């Protein structure tokens, strides 16, 4: 519930900013000043869009029309997948891909690939309370591909979800306006 309130609060802040407004009240950027000549400045970028997840074996799909991805970092990317899930039966998790190298593109673009990477999941600390990101090898991502081209972000990967199967995730989102 707290995560949904935080997401709604973030959406409200973004809605208060100016620029193009979609029918859903979210405001999208018209340019991307955070990537210059293919180099990411390190200012966080927030993308809002749709994640479509397909079960590799049976072809069933799950679509999240409110998928929120966040990029942080500088020379390497940290990609946060907020309240993400790969299947309807999977609980929403705060996940991140940490230290993803990228290749500069032309203008406001970059791309990244990895044969496999171990994502981190935000979990409660056993000692002292609070939360921290911890490696989750049971959710290893394979065939990771992604790009940011101006305001458009695309990411895809395959993930074996314990007890649920293998899924292919395809994400496409637009850059949100900063306040």
């Amino acid at each position: 519930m707290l995560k949904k309130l935080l997401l709604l609060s973030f959406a409200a802040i973004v809605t208060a900013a100016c620029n193009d407004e979609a029918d859903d009240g979210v405001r999208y950027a018209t340019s991307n000043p955070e990537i210059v000549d293919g180099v990411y400045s390190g200012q966080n970028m927030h993308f809002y869009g749709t994640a479509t997840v397909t079960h590799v074996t049976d072809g069933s799909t799950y679509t999240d029309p409110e998928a929120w991805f966040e990029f942080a970092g500088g020379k390497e990317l940290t990609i946060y997948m907020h309240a993400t899930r790969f299947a309807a039966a999977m609980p929403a998790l705060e996940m991140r891909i940490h230290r993803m190298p990228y290749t500069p593109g032309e203008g406001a673009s970059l791309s990244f690939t990895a044969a496999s990477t171990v994502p981190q999941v935000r979990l409660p600390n056993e000692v002292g309370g609070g939360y921290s990101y911890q490696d989750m090898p049971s959710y290893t991502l394979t065939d990771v591909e992604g790009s940011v081209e101006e305001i458009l972000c695309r990411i895809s990967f395959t993930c074996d979800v314990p007890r649920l199967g293998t899924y292919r995730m395809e994400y496409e989102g637009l850059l949100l306006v900063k306040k």
Side-chain angles (χ1 to χ4, degrees):
M1 180 66 167
L2 179 60
K3 290 177 190 169
K4 286 185 180 181
L5 288 174
L6 287 173
L7 182 57
L8 288 173
S9 296
F10 178 76
I13 290 169
V14 170
T15 301
C18 61
N19 272 358
D20 295 336
E21 184 173 342
D23 291 337
D24 57 7
V26 175
R27 295 185 187 259
Y28 297 102
T30 57
S31 64
N32 187 344
E34 305 310 332
I35 302 173
V36 177
D37 296 327
V39 178
Y40 178 37
S41 71
Q43 296 291 319
N44 287 22
M45 295 184 292
H46 296 265
F47 295 91
Y48 187 71
T50 301
T52 303
V53 185
T54 305
H55 191 280
V56 172
T57 305
D58 68 18
S60 62
T61 61
Y62 167 75
T63 301
D64 179 359
E66 298 179 340
W68 171 25
F69 281 40
E70 176 183 356
F71 282 55
K75 293 182 180 184
E76 293 180 311
L77 302 173
T78 298
I79 303 167
Y80 294 91
M81 298 175 277
H82 297 289
T84 197
R85 60 178 75 205
F86 304 133
M90 179 181 162
L93 298 172
E94 291 293 313
M95 298 180 75
R96 74 179 182 185
I97 301 172
H98 194 54
R99 295 188 179 134
M100 173 66 71
Y102 69 88
T103 302
E106 292 186 24
S109 69
L110 57 82
S111 62
F112 52 91
T113 61
S116 71
T117 187
V118 174
Q120 295 180 324
V121 176
R122 187 174 179 252
L123 298 170
N125 293 327
E126 292 181 17
V127 178
Y131 293 87
S132 64
Y133 281 92
Q134 300 170 25
D135 286 348
M136 245 352 199
S138 61
Y139 284 85
T140 296
L141 308 179
T142 58
D143 302 319
V144 179
E145 296 180 337
S147 65
V148 175
E149 297 171 10
E150 287 289 334
I151 64 168
L152 178 63
C153 174
R154 290 187 176 110
I155 300 175
S156 61
F157 54 78
T158 301
C159 182
D160 287 322
V161 179
R163 295 178 299 283
L164 295 177
T166 302
Y167 294 85
R168 182 71 182 165
M169 195 284 302
E170 309 258 341
Y171 172 79
E172 186 170 292
L174 295 174
L175 182 64
L176 295 171
V177 171
K178 285 187 179 181
K179 184 174 178 185

